[in-house]
Amino acid sequence: MEEVSIKPTLKKDLCESINKLIEELTTTGKETLDKKVLKRLFQQASVSEEYLDLSKRLLFQQLEINHAQIRYGAFLLVNEFVTRSAHFRQIFFPDLLRFLDLSLKGLVIRGKKKKTKLRPLQVGILLKKKTIQAMREWERDFQDDAHFGLTIALSYMRGLGLDLEVNEAEGGECGSNRKDLSDRTNGEVEMSLNVLRWEMEGREEEIQRTLSELHSCFTLLFPNYSDHHSSVSIRVIKDEDNSVIVETLEELKKLVSKTHLPFLKNLLLSQHVEHDAELKNRLENLQWKLEKEEARLTKLEVLRVLVPMIQTGKR
């Protein structure tokens, strides 16, 4: 497994152990996971949310390997993490389209689709069947938790006809002949674009409102602020007069980093967005604006007024 960058706040030995355990569990070639090794992995990955973040990155690293057995092992681990951890669902579901591309449709490298069949073929067929089954279970168990990524992925999957059982006689491809497959491919593009457009329409107004609120907050706090000096740290002393504005900015920062940007990046990962230049431009423009605001928010340094303690003596 390739080396993954480690944050300074994480312990190197623990990160290396999680890395080795994930590699061990995904390369056994077995249809089930070793329960003892799995338990050790969860004990270590559950130390903090940052280790769960690391686990997600490592699992996608394994999913990107063009080998059906390794991807199948990674899928089994993903399913375990999704079932057990609310935080993992929160960070994983925004990347479900990427997950489906890897587990159902072949290898994706740097956002580009590479037509290839996974080997061994029978394991690839099993991976597709299990992925479809897992998506049904995730829809049943977690749809009410308002995970936007899950909603998008389910619509996308149904647009491909992949909520049906995989036809083993076709080597894992749905459809009875080449014409059916070609017709479905054309329908797949239009259906996927309709899903992307619908999701975009549902969120664009909210994103624009967030951008407007950010602009208003910065204007109120820094009337003379200029984007030309964006490389300079922005300091503000939080007091009774501006506490509401500062707290609003802090909440908006979370909304930008954890909700809006992952949502847009997830949509842009779809290879079908290339078929609609206007939609792609809208997505990229919003992403650029949000990343600009995220960079500005990152430079915001909030200083808090220390209230002096009143010392009382005993009589």
Side-chain angles (χ1 to χ4, degrees):
M1 186 181 290
E2 296 179 8
E3 186 177 350
V4 174
S5 59
I6 299 175
K7 294 183 178 180
T9 55
L10 301 181
K11 296 181 179 179
K12 184 177 180 180
D13 57 343
L14 186 54
C15 292
E16 291 176 348
S17 179
I18 291 173
N19 191 336
K20 290 179 180 178
L21 290 173
I22 288 178
E23 184 172 15
E24 178 180 347
L25 286 166
T26 56
T27 55
T28 61
K30 298 179 180 179
E31 286 194 23
T32 58
L33 298 171
D34 186 300
K35 292 183 179 180
K36 291 183 178 179
V37 180
L38 181 63
K39 183 178 179 180
R40 286 170 53 202
L41 173 61
F42 273 110
Q43 286 175 340
Q44 296 179 18
S46 300
V47 169
S48 74
E49 291 183 352
E50 288 183 308
Y51 291 105
L52 287 170
D53 296 344
L54 172 67
S55 299
K56 177 207 163 188
R57 296 201 304 273
L58 292 171
L59 285 168
F60 266 109
Q61 188 179 96
Q62 294 301 87
L63 282 166
E64 288 168 353
I65 296 175
N66 191 26
H67 193 285
Q69 287 182 326
I70 294 176
R71 286 193 186 180
Y72 180 73
F75 157 76
L76 292 177
L77 270 181
V78 164
N79 195 33
E80 292 288 343
F81 273 99
V82 167
T83 303
R84 299 179 185 215
S85 170
H87 176 72
F88 189 86
R89 292 193 294 273
Q90 182 182 0
I91 61 174
F92 174 74
F93 281 162
D95 285 328
L96 265 179
L97 285 182
R98 179 184 172 199
F99 168 76
L100 289 180
D101 275 332
L102 292 168
S103 59
L104 293 176
K105 296 175 60 184
L107 184 63
V108 174
I109 301 178
R110 296 177 182 174
K112 295 184 178 181
K113 185 77 170 59
K114 180 180 178 181
K115 299 291 184 182
T116 182
K117 288 192 174 181
L118 292 175
R119 295 291 187 269
L121 182 58
Q122 291 303 314
V123 180
I125 294 172
L126 178 63
L127 171 60
K128 291 183 179 182
K129 283 187 172 183
K130 292 291 187 179
T131 299
I132 292 170
Q133 180 183 341
M135 289 294 294
R136 289 171 176 162
E137 293 173 354
W138 297 347
E139 178 182 26
R140 180 194 66 205
D141 296 337
F142 308 119
Q143 182 66 19
D144 292 340
D145 295 341
H147 290 290
F148 290 108
L150 181 58
T151 302
I152 296 171
L154 288 167
S155 300
Y156 177 72
M157 188 178 73
R158 292 195 170 98
L160 301 180
L162 290 173
D163 56 333
L164 304 175
E165 287 296 330
V166 177
N167 187 339
E168 293 189 33
E170 292 293 324
E173 299 290 346
C174 299
S176 57
N177 53 53
R178 292 179 181 270
K179 184 178 184 302
D180 288 342
L181 183 59
S182 177
D183 291 343
R184 185 166 50 258
T185 300
N186 293 332
E188 163 192 329
V189 173
E190 188 57 33
M191 175 65 76
S192 297
L193 283 173
N194 286 335
V195 170
L196 293 173
R197 292 169 188 141
W198 177 76
E199 290 294 336
M200 181 61 174
E201 291 296 331
R203 295 288 292 278
E204 187 172 17
E205 183 178 347
E206 181 184 351
I207 292 173
Q208 293 288 8
R209 185 165 58 250
T210 297
L211 289 168
S212 178
E213 290 180 29
L214 283 167
H215 177 75
S216 297
C217 288
F218 267 100
T219 300
L220 288 170
L221 281 177
F222 311 100
N224 299 318
Y225 179 80
S226 172
D227 286 337
H228 296 297
H229 302 89
S230 58
S231 60
V232 181
S233 296
I234 313 168
R235 292 186 177 181
V236 59
I237 299 176
K238 183 178 179 182
D239 54 30
E240 292 182 358
D241 295 330
N242 64 17
S243 61
V244 174
I245 301 174
V246 172
E247 289 169 4
T248 300
L249 275 176
E250 291 173 339
E251 289 302 315
L252 289 174
K253 180 181 179 181
K254 294 179 184 178
L255 191 60
V256 169
S257 300
K258 296 186 177 181
T259 302
H260 292 333
L261 277 175
F263 171 80
L264 292 174
K265 290 176 181 177
N266 191 45
L267 293 189
L268 284 167
L269 277 174
S270 171
Q271 74 268 25
H272 295 142
V273 77
E274 299 289 340
H275 295 273
D276 189 330
E278 190 271 338
L279 174 62
K280 183 181 179 183
N281 287 336
R282 285 165 61 195
L283 290 169
E284 289 178 339
N285 184 48
L286 282 177
Q287 181 180 353
W288 177 79
K289 289 180 178 179
L290 287 172
E291 287 177 342
K292 182 179 178 182
E293 292 299 330
E294 183 183 41
R296 181 161 66 164
L297 287 165
T298 301
K299 295 180 176 64
L300 181 63
E301 184 179 351
V302 178
L303 305 176
R304 289 169 171 79
V305 177
L306 296 178
V307 180
M309 296 179 62
I310 300 176
Q311 295 182 351
T312 58
K314 292 184 180 179
R315 294 184 177 179

